[in-house]
Amino acid sequence: MGLCLGKAGVFMDPVVRVYDVKLTGVNFSGVEVDCTLEVTNPNISNLSATRVVYSLKKASDGTQLTNGVLDKHFTIPSGESIQIVVPMKFAYTGVGAVGKSLVKRGATEILVAGDITFDAPMTRSGVVVSHFQGQAEIMID
């Protein structure tokens, strides 16, 4: 990978935000959601990401529903934004109040947080980790 610098001539951290969270499945083994992250590269050269680490919690009390790692390589073109879909699954044992809220209201609030690791050869460590965090309502359609 070549030099990855921002307009000011220094490396600029990518910006990651939770764009959307959608319920994609409810079955006998648990619940599945797709979390879409929007990743913006403010640098003047492409940026490569190699790993997404995530956690999903109940918004009401912070109970951990699931966590995981998505080892997937993707490239963010210079000065652009892309969307990355991170599939997440959790078993009914972790559902508790989330399941009750989904059944009762047809929706529930969750917290999504994590980090994306980017290759950054011009930095001292050779990598940059950008944090993301957001709250979303998942709904049964």
Side-chain angles (χ1 to χ4, degrees), residues 21-137:
V21 180
K22 288 187 178 174
L23 180 68
T24 57
V26 177
N27 55 44
F28 292 113
S29 62
V31 178
E32 300 172 1
V33 298
D34 279 349
C35 176
T36 303
L37 303 174
E38 184 176 76
V39 184
T40 302
N41 176 7
N43 295 287
I44 59 174
S45 63
N46 294 347
L47 188 59
S48 294
T50 56
R51 171 176 271 210
V52 179
V53 178
Y54 62 85
S55 71
L56 186 65
K57 297 179 181 183
K58 293 190 306 189
S60 61
D61 64 7
T63 299
Q64 184 81 34
L65 297 172
T66 191
N67 57 42
V69 175
L70 177 64
D71 285 316
K72 180 179 179 180
H73 182 274
F74 52 92
T75 301
I76 304 95
S78 65
E80 293 187 23
S81 297
I82 64 168
Q83 293 182 349
I84 304 301
V85 177
V86 180
M88 301 177 186
K89 298 178 183 180
F90 54 96
Y92 285 117
T93 55
V95 173
V98 169
K100 289 177 187 173
S101 180
L102 279 170
V103 170
K104 214 173 186 181
R105 293 182 30 227
T108 193
E109 293 286 325
I110 58 166
L111 299 172
V112 180
D115 300 295
I116 298 182
T117 303
F118 297 90
D119 291 332
M122 299 308 295
T123 63
R124 178 170 281 144
S125 66
V127 297
V128 168
V129 178
S130 291
H131 184 73
F132 61 88
Q133 183 173 330
Q135 185 167 329
E137 182 177 62

